[in-house]
Amino acid sequence: MNPPPDPLVAAIRTTIRLARLAQQVCDDGGLTLPQYRGLSILVDDRRRAHEIATYTSTSRPAIASLTSGLERMGLIERTTAETDRRGVYYTATEKGRQVVAEIDATMAAKFTKVLGENTALLHPLASDQIEAALDAQLAHDFGPE
């Protein structure tokens, strides 16, 4: 397959193909890619629904379905905010943390199997600058909290 002449477009197309690998691993692990993204940010800290929606690029109405599904699977739990009884926080359960760890390990193994020594080429994608740019775009798309 011939890459497009524009290196940026070629890199974007490659990123999309890599996302498909990640999606396959998530599917095999019993989660959709949005569920994995949502659960993965809950491993380190509790979050409110709008934060999960923003991070997963899921509409605020659809986040109820995502969180309900994760809760039914026993992967997250909800708690009421101490200061605002209407507010709800979500936290990963121990089972949820284990599922994320297993998917992460499987994903690393899958990418290593497919890419071999070329996995090091992916390391620059984990930069603070890229994360900040993605966060800024999410804030633009979803508005203030």
Side-chain angles (χ1 to χ4, degrees):
M1 181 173 198
N2 292 333
D6 182 340
L8 177 59
V9 172
I12 291 166
R13 289 181 182 175
T14 299
T15 302
I16 291 168
R17 293 181 74 194
L18 290 169
R20 179 65 185 129
L21 282 178
Q23 181 180 340
Q24 289 171 336
V25 171
C26 289
D27 290 346
D28 291 346
L31 296 178
T32 64
L33 194 52
Q35 286 175 324
Y36 168 78
R37 288 194 315 255
L39 183 57
S40 69
I41 67 160
L42 295 174
V43 166
D44 296 324
D45 199 8
R46 68 185 191 160
R47 306 282 181 168
R48 294 187 75 147
H50 69 83
E51 294 173 294
I52 301 167
T54 300
Y55 185 80
T56 61
S57 299
T58 303
S59 68
R60 289 186 185 183
I63 201 65
S65 175
L66 187 141
T67 54
S68 293
L70 291 172
E71 194 172 17
R72 275 193 306 278
M73 289 187 276
L75 303 178
I76 65 171
E77 58 189 9
R78 72 174 69 206
T79 56
T80 304
E82 301 84 23
T83 57
D84 176 6
R85 290 292 193 203
R86 294 173 296 158
V88 174
Y89 284 100
Y90 295 92
T91 310
T93 63
E94 188 54 42
K95 180 180 177 184
R97 287 181 183 83
Q98 182 179 355
V99 167
V100 168
E102 289 169 4
I103 290 175
D104 285 348
T106 303
M107 203 170 302
K110 176 80 168 188
F111 275 67
T112 299
K113 179 180 178 185
V114 172
L115 300 175
E117 292 180 16
N118 293 319
T119 57
L121 296 172
L122 298 178
H123 296 177
L125 294 176
S127 75
D128 290 340
Q129 294 87 354
I130 290 176
E131 288 294 324
L134 292 171
D135 289 345
Q137 182 61 45
L138 288 173
H140 176 267
D141 290 347
F142 289 92
E145 298 177 3

